Amino acid sequence: ILPLVSVNQILLLLLVLTVCAILYSKVHQVPLALRNETVDLENPEEMEEEIPVVICAAAGRMGATVAAISSIYSNTEANVLFYIIGLKSTIPHIRKWIENSKLKEIKFKVVEFNPMVLKGKIRQDASRPELLQPLNFVRFYLPLLIQKHEKVIYLDDDVIVQGDIQELYDTKLAPGHAAAFSDDCDLPSTHEMVRSVGMQNTYMGFLDYRKQAIRDLGISPSTCSFNPGVIVGNMTEWKHQRITKQLEKWMQRNVEENLYSSTLGGGVATSPMLIVFHGKYSSINPMWHIRHLGWSPDARYSEQFLQEAKLLHWNGRYKPWDYPSVHTDLWENWFIPDPSRKFKLTRPDS
């Protein structure tokens, strides 16, 4: 009998130990799983929203791209992902520039733009042929180039950013709006600049109101224009409203009917956007797009005003990497020399 009791006791002890082990395992597994989850939730790298910034790298202007990226990266703690759009021939140069400079720490993707998508859609214009460069039209095709993001920032290359790009990204878009732009009538300081250099800031300056197709739009020629050099875009709305198709339609109509040209407002990429987005866009904080710095080699903003500005845009003929131009010191703060020495600044003493 004794051996039998001993065996039963041993079996009972083993059973108790097994149950205890199972309970111990269950009790300790749950906190472990929760602890892992908590670590992931609190990890800023996991939680921080990615801010996609689209900027082009055109031949002969890559120093502009580098300065713009440098200014953005230096003035934010946000998780920025740069989409650098180039033609096949320019991509190796910009990649080498970034990877062999202090910008090697940035997160970026280089995307090739195929100019064949523009075939038959651009009317040749001899007055300012530089405006017909394929990369000028990248902004028309944002959802095709940048596919995984709901919200995107597009910037022209001739800008520098002095504020935190997170602020621009946080721009609220009204329901049903595919994009936010800066109105050309939004700041008194800008009005003074426009008057001093004789620049147009209404639809009359961009569209040819002698043409019936333009008059049929029913848009008053005195309507304030906007500048698409800085865009905060909602890609879902953009696709839903078939914005790219609408823009292409007006490009093709211009080829056939000459509805706008660079001799008017100075931008063949702006005019179709003015038509397609008329009355259907949200506004960007005016200080996030101080423009016309490249419109005259003489007209200048006050230094105090420029210090307060979040983003400066040298739209116009007079670029800060060329000569003559104004406020070049602000731009050069962010310029990084080309390691291959192909791109050089044009200065009076060079």
Side-chain angles (χ1 to χ4, degrees):
I1 294 171
L2 276 174
L4 185 61
V5 171
S6 299
V7 170
N8 285 341
Q9 285 176 334
I10 290 166
L11 287 173
L12 183 61
L13 181 62
L14 287 172
L15 181 62
V16 170
L17 288 172
T18 303
V19 171
C20 288
I22 291 169
L23 288 173
Y24 180 90
S25 173
K26 286 190 177 297
V27 167
H28 282 77
Q29 272 178 0
V30 175
L32 183 61
L34 286 175
R35 220 177 300 128
N36 287 341
E37 232 173 80
T38 306
V39 168
D40 287 341
L41 287 172
E42 290 178 354
N43 185 343
E45 285 298 316
E46 292 293 322
M47 288 299 291
E48 199 175 17
E49 188 173 12
E50 207 166 54
I51 298 179
V53 175
V54 179
I55 191 163
C56 295
R61 297 171 61 112
M62 285 190 211
T65 309
V66 166
I69 291 172
S70 170
S71 69
I72 295 164
Y73 181 64
S74 301
N75 286 307
T76 188
E77 296 294 324
N79 182 20
V80 181
L81 172 60
F82 293 96
Y83 282 87
I84 302 168
I85 317 296
L87 301 181
K88 191 173 185 178
S89 58
T90 62
I91 284 173
H93 186 187
I94 193 68
R95 187 185 290 280
K96 185 177 178 184
W97 198 331
I98 289 169
E99 290 175 351
N100 290 279
S101 72
K102 65 181 183 182
L103 292 180
K104 63 180 177 288
E105 303 297 327
I106 70 169
K107 288 171 60 179
F108 74 101
K109 292 183 180 178
V110 178
V111 180
E112 181 182 342
F113 182 68
N114 184 354
M116 289 305 293
V117 299
L118 301 171
K119 191 174 181 181
K121 301 184 184 78
I122 301 177
R123 184 183 185 88
Q124 293 309 306
D125 193 327
S127 61
R128 289 194 67 190
E130 75 275 12
L131 296 175
L132 304 179
Q133 295 302 315
L135 295 180
N136 260 347
F137 301 92
V138 159
R139 69 198 92 189
F140 290 14
Y141 298 93
L142 291 176
L144 302 177
L145 295 162
I146 316 302
Q147 294 178 356
K148 71 168 189 168
H149 301 280
E150 167 84 8
K151 196 174 187 183
V152 168
I153 293 172
Y154 166 87
L155 299 176
D156 276 354
D157 60 2
D158 51 356
V159 307
I160 60 160
V161 172
Q162 301 186 136
D164 185 342
I165 199 75
Q166 180 77 53
E167 286 180 36
L168 181 60
Y169 186 74
D170 290 341
T171 299
K172 295 283 187 288
L173 273 67
H177 285 178
F181 306 101
S182 290
D183 284 314
D184 282 332
C185 310
D186 56 9
L187 275 179
S189 301
T190 308
H191 297 174
E192 291 163 21
M193 178 68 82
V194 166
R195 279 196 297 272
S196 70
V197 300
M199 184 181 176
Q200 289 285 343
N201 62 351
T202 65
Y203 272 57
M204 174 67 88
F206 292 86
L207 306 178
D208 189 346
Y209 276 84
R210 296 170 298 179
K211 302 294 170 69
Q212 189 61 44
I214 297 301
R215 293 199 300 272
D216 287 347
L217 291 168
I219 301 172
S220 167
S222 63
T223 301
C224 184
S225 53
F226 59 80
N227 186 299
V230 176
I231 305 172
V232 181
N234 179 319
M235 296 299 96
T236 302
E237 276 296 333
W238 194 293
K239 287 183 278 192
H240 176 68
Q241 296 178 33
R242 297 169 64 83
I243 297 293
T244 298
K245 289 291 181 191
Q246 292 187 60
L247 292 166
E248 288 185 325
K249 181 190 86 170
W250 283 103
M251 291 168 77
Q252 284 167 327
R253 287 198 69 173
N254 184 56
V255 170
E256 297 157 12
E257 304 173 50
N258 196 18
L259 303 176
Y260 51 84
S261 77
S262 63
T263 54
L264 292 166
V268 290
T270 299
S271 301
M273 297 196 90
L274 291 176
I275 295 170
V276 170
F277 284 100
H278 174 252
K280 293 186 293 185
Y281 66 91
S282 299
S283 293
I284 288 172
N285 178 333
M287 297 306 286
W288 266 101
H289 195 179
I290 302 304
R291 47 212 177 277
H292 314 317
L293 277 77
W295 204 256
S296 161
D298 305 307
R300 303 174 69 93
Y301 286 112
S302 76
E303 292 303 319
Q304 183 184 347
F305 178 67
L306 292 176
Q307 291 302 323
E308 293 169 0
K310 305 284 189 176
L311 181 148
L312 303 176
H313 187 185
W314 278 262
N315 59 313
R317 294 175 186 263
Y318 302 98
K319 304 301 184 187
W321 56 90
D322 278 336
Y323 181 83
S325 56
V326 295
H327 303 300
T328 53
D329 54 326
L330 292 173
W331 183 85
E332 275 193 56
N333 283 340
W334 308 109
F335 175 68
I336 298 169
D338 181 2
S340 70
R341 302 189 180 186
K342 292 178 188 172
F343 181 95
K344 294 176 183 172
L345 302 183
T346 305
R347 294 294 180 255
D349 53 352
S350 62

